[in-house]
Amino acid sequence: MLGKIAMGFLVVTAMGTAYICQDGFVNIRVEEYRKGGENHHLILPAQLAPLAAHFVPLRHLRNAERGLRDFLPALRAASTELAKIPDTLLVEARDHDEHVRISKSGDGLDIEVESPREHVHVWVPLRAIYDTADALASRLGTN
């Protein structure tokens, strides 16, 4: 009997883990250049963003609703279309001593910011962007 309970717990845990990890992972890396600066590296399941969108209080969504109504369909369309193209540089900008690059890399967006103070690198799966926009649209009733 105890073995069946343990097996059930194991199956539920495995299914939950598979669900949380289905869209891949968001990878965030920050290096501070100042003396004694810190380095941070975070790897998070990408499914946490659309999941969290279901728990955002409606009053906060209503405050941002005007901007979101126009932006969410464009975000869903862009993430869908970007998934179809080969890896490419999308945006590169330089301003004095800062450099920003946004590219499509694999099935995600690769964002890199270099400044004299820090180096920030973020990789986000396109599917997670779509799913988050979809979850927010669903909450606002704009599907």
Side-chain angles (χ1 to χ4, degrees), residues 34-137:
R34 66 182 170 81
K35 186 174 180 172
E38 297 180 12
N39 295 327
H40 301 281
H41 192 186
L42 230 61
I43 300 173
L44 302 168
Q47 189 62 31
L48 289 179
L51 193 60
H54 291 286
F55 295 99
V56 174
L58 274 176
R59 69 178 186 277
H60 293 303
L61 284 178
R62 297 284 179 221
N63 290 339
E65 185 173 8
R66 186 181 321 165
L68 285 174
R69 276 197 189 277
D70 296 334
F71 184 66
L72 292 175
L75 191 56
R76 286 190 290 191
S79 59
T80 300
E81 294 306 312
L82 282 171
K84 298 175 184 176
I85 66 171
D87 293 359
T88 187
L89 178 64
L90 300 170
V91 176
E92 184 166 23
R94 291 183 187 273
D95 182 21
H96 302 293
D97 53 358
E98 295 184 351
H99 183 211
V100 176
R101 285 177 52 102
I102 302 174
S103 58
K104 194 263 184 175
S105 174
D107 23 333
L109 278 185
D110 199 19
I111 304 160
E112 198 156 357
V113 179
E114 183 78 40
S115 78
R117 297 174 306 283
E118 63 195 357
H119 177 238
V120 178
H121 182 242
V122 178
W123 189 86
V124 182
L126 290 166
R127 183 68 193 172
I129 295 170
Y130 181 92
D131 288 348
T132 304
D134 199 46
L136 289 170

